Amino acid sequence: MMRISASNKKDLQKGVTLFELLIVLALIAIITTISGANIRGGSNQRMIMAAAQQMRADLIQARAEADAINAPIAIHLREFDYSIPDLNISRTLPRNMQIRYGENNVIIIGPGSWLREYEILLTQGNADATIVIAPLTRRIEITNA
């Protein structure tokens, strides 16, 4: 049998101290917090872009209807929703998303209404997107602001 001296016994006792374990747990918590914030930010941006795409589709539909009936159509913007009464469209934005638009919160689309450019800003947390209705080209585009 092999005898273990006191100095060799110390070398054989290998393990993790409580302090080392706490350091590792703190590092894991910090990394998880940082990655969670990045994931939520990306999620907000995806939600903003989905809502902007839906609004763009509704605006294109309103423009097509206005052209078909040769009369302007009004889009009513509120802080958390919008509606197009002539098309029976009413949309509520998801999870604290907001619409920001200056002036009187009504946009008129249709014949004779393409003389000025409209900008609608959608925001949620630190994510946002801008919908631009261009006057002469009749384009409705989405940009990340």
Side-chain angles (χ1 to χ4, degrees):
M1 250 210 235
M2 186 174 168
R3 289 190 176 183
I4 299 173
S5 68
S7 64
N8 286 342
K9 196 174 190 182
K10 256 187 172 175
D11 289 339
L12 292 175
Q13 291 178 347
K14 295 184 179 177
V16 179
T17 65
L18 182 60
F19 181 72
E20 292 169 331
L21 184 61
L22 289 175
I23 296 274
V24 169
L25 289 175
L27 288 173
I28 290 171
I30 290 169
I31 290 170
T32 303
T33 301
I34 291 170
S35 64
N38 287 339
I39 289 170
R40 280 192 301 276
S43 175
N44 282 350
Q45 192 61 41
R46 281 189 297 279
M47 288 180 70
I48 286 281
M49 291 307 289
Q53 290 289 351
Q54 179 64 61
M55 183 180 266
R56 179 179 180 270
D58 291 340
L59 293 171
I60 289 171
Q61 183 181 352
R63 186 185 63 207
E65 179 67 18
D67 288 345
I69 64 173
N70 198 27
I73 290 189
I75 292 94
H76 300 272
L77 304 171
R78 288 175 289 280
E79 189 174 11
F80 300 108
D81 58 30
Y82 66 94
S83 64
I84 308 172
D86 291 339
L87 300 178
N88 293 322
I89 292 175
S90 182
R91 306 245 189 246
T92 300
L93 299 178
R95 213 175 67 181
N96 299 327
M97 194 178 298
Q98 293 183 333
I99 295 174
R100 301 225 191 274
Y101 175 71
E103 300 180 20
N104 62 4
N105 293 337
V106 176
I107 293 177
I108 306 296
I109 291 185
S113 66
W114 292 93
L115 301 176
R116 59 180 294 249
E117 185 172 284
Y118 295 108
E119 277 191 17
I120 303 166
L121 179 65
L122 298 180
T123 61
Q124 181 179 33
N126 61 352
D128 53 22
T130 303
I131 301 170
V132 177
I133 304 171
L136 298 176
T137 61
R138 294 175 50 92
R139 294 181 59 93
I140 300 174
E141 298 176 345
I142 299 171
T143 60
N144 286 347

